[in-house]
């Protein structure tokens, strides 16, 4: 490496840029990048199941909700086939859960498998706030199991 120390009687400023520190930093970053990407790319070999969907086991005490949007863009929630507001959905869900607990003999006799589930069918065009609001309301009412019902793909998909 050459270094200019001045001298020779010339009084002009040095116009050469020392790129050695830049090259050193870039080489270090390149080595770090190469090491970390090989660590990040390694995966554990797994064989995933070939299940397309799990069939839903519906019980008569389960709650079926349908969520869609109205033409004006607001959310529409249906308890079975009946349109309900947010407050009415919460009241119905709490009443349903209380009735099922009483039917099972009280909280002391509860088994998690005996409790009803909430099955939500969300329209593909419904915004997340509508479906998320229904999930939140059912969880707030006390439903421990809230799931989504979807349409399985056809024979071609």
């Amino acid at each position: 490496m050459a270094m200019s120390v001045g001298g020779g009687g010339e009084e002009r400023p040095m116009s050469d840029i020392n790129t050695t520190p830049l090259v050193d930093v870039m080489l270090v970053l390149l080595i770090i990048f190469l090491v970390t990407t090989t660590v990040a790319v390694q995966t554990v070999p797994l064989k995933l199941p070939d299940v397309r969907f799990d069939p839903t086991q519906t019980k008569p005490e389960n709650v079926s909700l349908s969520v869609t949007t109205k033409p004006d863009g607001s959310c529409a929630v249906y308890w079975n086939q009946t349109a309900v507001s947010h407050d009415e959905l919460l009241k119905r869900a709490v009443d349903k859960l209380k009735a099922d607990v009483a039917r099972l003999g009280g909280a002391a006799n509860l088994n998690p498998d005996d409790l009803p589930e909430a099955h939500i069918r969300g329209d593909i065009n419904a915004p997340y706030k509508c479906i998320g609001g229904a999930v939140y309301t059912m969880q707030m009412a006390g439903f421990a199991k809230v799931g989504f019902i979807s349409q399985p793909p056809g024979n071609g998909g």
Side-chain angles (χ1 to χ4, degrees):
M1 288 188 216
M3 187 167 129
S4 175
V5 290
E10 294 184 24
E11 295 288 330
R12 62 186 174 108
M14 189 172 135
S15 63
D16 295 334
I17 297 175
N18 188 2
T19 59
T20 304
L22 176 65
V23 171
D24 291 343
V25 169
M26 295 304 288
L27 287 173
V28 169
L29 289 175
L30 179 64
I31 291 170
I32 290 172
F33 176 74
L34 290 174
V35 170
T36 57
T37 54
T38 56
V39 170
V41 172
Q42 293 176 353
T43 60
V44 177
L46 295 176
K47 173 142 177 44
L48 298 176
D50 294 332
V51 177
R52 293 181 144 222
F53 65 95
D54 293 330
T56 305
Q57 302 295 326
T58 56
K59 299 182 283 188
E61 61 268 10
N62 288 347
V63 175
S64 177
L65 299 177
S66 300
V67 180
T68 187
T69 52
K70 297 177 185 174
D72 64 355
S74 62
C75 301
V77 179
Y78 296 88
W79 181 291
N80 292 332
Q81 300 295 321
T82 307
V84 292
S85 67
H86 171 73
D87 295 331
E88 190 176 353
L89 176 62
L90 182 61
K91 182 184 178 323
R92 277 190 178 199
V94 169
D95 292 345
K96 167 80 170 142
L97 205 54
K98 284 182 181 177
D100 285 343
V101 168
R103 179 181 53 83
L104 294 171
N109 298 330
L110 284 182
N111 182 1
D113 294 332
D114 295 336
L115 291 175
E117 302 173 6
H119 295 168
I120 298 177
R121 288 176 174 83
D123 184 33
I124 196 168
N125 297 319
Y128 175 76
K129 68 176 185 173
C130 297
I131 298 171
V135 170
Y136 178 74
T137 302
M138 295 308 284
Q139 287 177 338
M140 208 167 70
F143 279 78
K145 294 182 181 178
V146 179
F148 295 103
I149 305 297
S150 62
Q151 181 70 32
N155 292 338

